[in-house]
Amino acid sequence: MFNRGLKDVVAVHTKIASVDGELGELRYRGIQVGELVPDHSFEELAYLLWHGKFPDGEELNLLKSKMMEGRKLPEHIASLIDILPKDIALMDAIRTAISAYGQSEFKEKPIDEQAIILTAVLPVIIVRHYRNVNRLPIVESDENLSHTANFLWMLNGEKPADVHVEALETYLKLTMEHGMNASTFAGRVTISTESDLTAAVTSALGAMKGPLHGGAPSGVIDLLEEIGTQNNIRPVIEQKLKNGERIMGFGHRVYKTEDPRSILLRKKCQTLAGKDKWLDLATAAEKEIIDLLKTYKPGRELYTNVEYYAAAIMRAINMPPELFTPAFSAARMVGWTAHAIEQQGDNTIFRPQSLYVGNKI
């Protein structure tokens, strides 16, 4: 059997997550994300994906303590980040720094504790290189802040607004896992060779860098900035549709109905109505765009995808476009490490066949 790109080929039995594109469902450990995201923190959902259950009070406090400790960069990795060329791509800088985690940091630590450290430290690595490139002073972690709030604190050097923490955390929770995507598969292939978690995550980061997978939603940002105000929504979109232009942020390769992640991000933006102009613009624009798409592209069933509201959130919190894919990676680190843990627990090395179609002599 030959399926190009292994499309629709089942290579793994997993208990971590499931994606149903026809029904528009995303489940973490069998539970729909819509039931999880509103009432649980990033840390709680990370624990659920790693362990298959929610933490009790003591387990949650221990996790938070370990994540706090994990934010501390080893001296040699901090030095490595600081000497990287300023023009190196941020995803390359992240991959380089993560790959430097080795035996000295993880010696005798079980894989689940390694997962905590890598998840906790990735935002620190992202921000350190970003601030170095922009010749800004390094902002140290604040032990009184949550994982998400600390990310924004280190990035901007000021206490983040609650509205921005809520919006970003919703995005991070919704993108921490999404089944057997390219980067997750890359990580599982690497760990299946009995390599280590650092190597698996480095492989995943390499796959995430590709524009077909982790490409930043910059097109949506451009669209929202071109619209500018709610009065401009209809004329701008109508003109684009008359010109045959694609409306960025609508349509998805997997979901044939509404992307469940975009539904939840929309609801979060609606609860924050009036608190940020970009979130308000995105919510209003979506309604107009859906109506216009039905008129100009009847029968196409183009729904909002996660990139649309992700872009609105990133624009609202003033996160530079070059940080979009790294921020996506910071969320997906949870899924990558959960899959590596699962693969290690019941391992068979991946070894698909290839069919030779070249010349025969």
Side-chain angles (χ1 to χ4, degrees):
M1 181 179 69
F2 171 64
N3 282 20
R4 192 175 183 86
L6 300 180
K7 184 179 180 181
D8 298 326
V9 173
V10 176
V12 165
H13 286 173
T14 183
K15 296 180 180 179
I16 298 170
S18 60
V19 181
D20 190 318
E22 297 296 330
L23 295 178
E25 290 185 351
L26 171 61
R27 295 173 180 267
Y28 291 172
R29 295 289 183 177
I31 308 170
Q32 291 210 48
V33 290
E35 300 174 24
L36 294 171
V37 169
D39 300 320
H40 297 282
S41 67
F42 178 94
E43 292 84 351
E44 288 174 308
L45 291 190
Y47 192 98
L48 173 68
L49 289 176
W50 286 327
H51 299 284
K53 70 182 188 71
F54 284 111
D56 59 28
E58 183 178 343
E59 289 166 334
L60 182 58
N61 288 334
L62 182 59
L63 172 61
K64 289 179 178 179
S65 176
K66 288 182 178 179
M67 289 189 73
M68 197 79 64
E69 187 65 24
R71 293 176 187 173
K72 298 176 182 177
L73 277 174
E75 186 175 339
H76 75 278
I77 295 179
S79 298
L80 173 62
I81 297 169
D82 292 344
I83 64 171
L84 288 173
K86 298 298 184 285
D87 61 349
I88 190 173
L90 188 46
M91 287 298 290
D92 292 335
I94 293 168
R95 189 180 59 213
T96 300
I98 287 292
S99 68
Y101 273 83
Q103 290 302 309
S104 59
E105 294 78 34
F106 290 158
K107 186 178 182 181
E108 298 181 359
K109 288 186 184 296
I111 191 171
D112 58 323
E113 291 199 13
Q114 296 177 34
I116 293 170
I117 293 170
L118 292 173
T119 300
V121 82
L122 187 49
V124 181
I125 292 171
I126 292 168
V127 172
R128 190 178 188 97
H129 182 66
Y130 172 78
R131 292 186 72 88
N132 281 342
V133 168
N134 290 278
R135 293 176 170 79
L136 297 170
I138 301 302
V139 178
E140 300 297 336
S141 295
D142 186 334
E143 64 180 17
N144 297 311
L145 296 178
S146 69
H147 180 73
T148 304
N150 187 63
F151 191 176
L152 290 174
W153 157 252
M154 291 186 300
L155 178 63
N156 299 316
E158 58 185 34
K159 186 178 184 298
D162 291 343
V163 60
H164 292 160
V165 175
E166 284 185 51
L168 179 59
E169 175 134 335
T170 300
Y171 168 73
L172 295 178
K173 289 187 289 188
L174 286 169
T175 53
M176 60 171 55
E177 166 59 11
H178 203 244
M180 194 53 58
N181 53 81
S183 56
T184 298
F185 182 58
R188 286 193 78 136
V189 169
T190 299
I191 203 77
S192 80
T193 68
E194 296 189 356
S195 189
D196 52 64
L197 184 61
T198 298
V201 168
T202 303
S203 296
L205 284 164
M208 178 65 89
K209 179 187 174 184
L212 293 184
H213 182 28
S218 55
V220 182
I221 294 286
D222 294 340
L223 176 66
L224 292 174
E225 292 189 340
E226 183 179 350
I227 293 170
T229 67
Q230 295 189 28
N231 292 333
N232 290 335
I233 297 171
R234 182 166 286 270
V236 168
I237 299 303
E238 277 193 320
Q239 189 59 53
K240 286 183 175 297
L241 289 171
K242 288 176 182 177
N243 294 342
E245 296 179 45
R246 180 187 172 195
I247 307 301
M248 303 302 292
F250 292 81
H252 194 278
R253 180 181 178 185
V254 174
Y255 294 109
K256 308 308 178 188
T257 181
E258 281 199 277
D259 184 333
R261 299 168 299 174
S262 68
I263 294 171
L264 291 165
L265 286 173
R266 179 197 304 128
K267 288 180 179 179
K268 174 53 67 175
C269 290
Q270 288 171 341
T271 66
L272 302 173
K275 297 180 180 180
D276 185 276
K277 69 173 186 177
W278 287 102
L279 300 183
D280 289 346
L281 176 63
T283 304
E286 182 195 25
K287 296 175 184 177
E288 291 272 15
I289 292 170
I290 291 292
D291 287 342
L292 288 168
L293 285 171
K294 289 178 180 177
T295 300
Y296 282 84
K297 297 181 182 292
R300 288 288 302 277
E301 300 295 333
L302 294 172
Y303 296 98
T304 319
N305 61 42
V306 70
E307 284 191 352
Y308 179 82
Y309 276 108
I313 287 170
M314 298 306 185
R315 181 62 182 83
I317 64 179
N318 292 317
M319 184 170 282
E322 61 266 34
L323 290 182
F324 290 177
T325 303
F328 185 7
S329 302
R332 190 56 60 83
M333 180 65 80
V334 176
W336 292 335
T337 51
H339 277 272
I341 292 168
E342 184 177 66
Q343 182 69 34
Q344 195 179 71
D346 183 19
N347 187 50
T348 299
I349 190 172
F350 286 90
R351 183 59 173 88
Q353 295 296 313
S354 60
L355 179 66
Y356 177 73
V357 295
N359 293 331
K360 295 181 180 179
I361 299 176

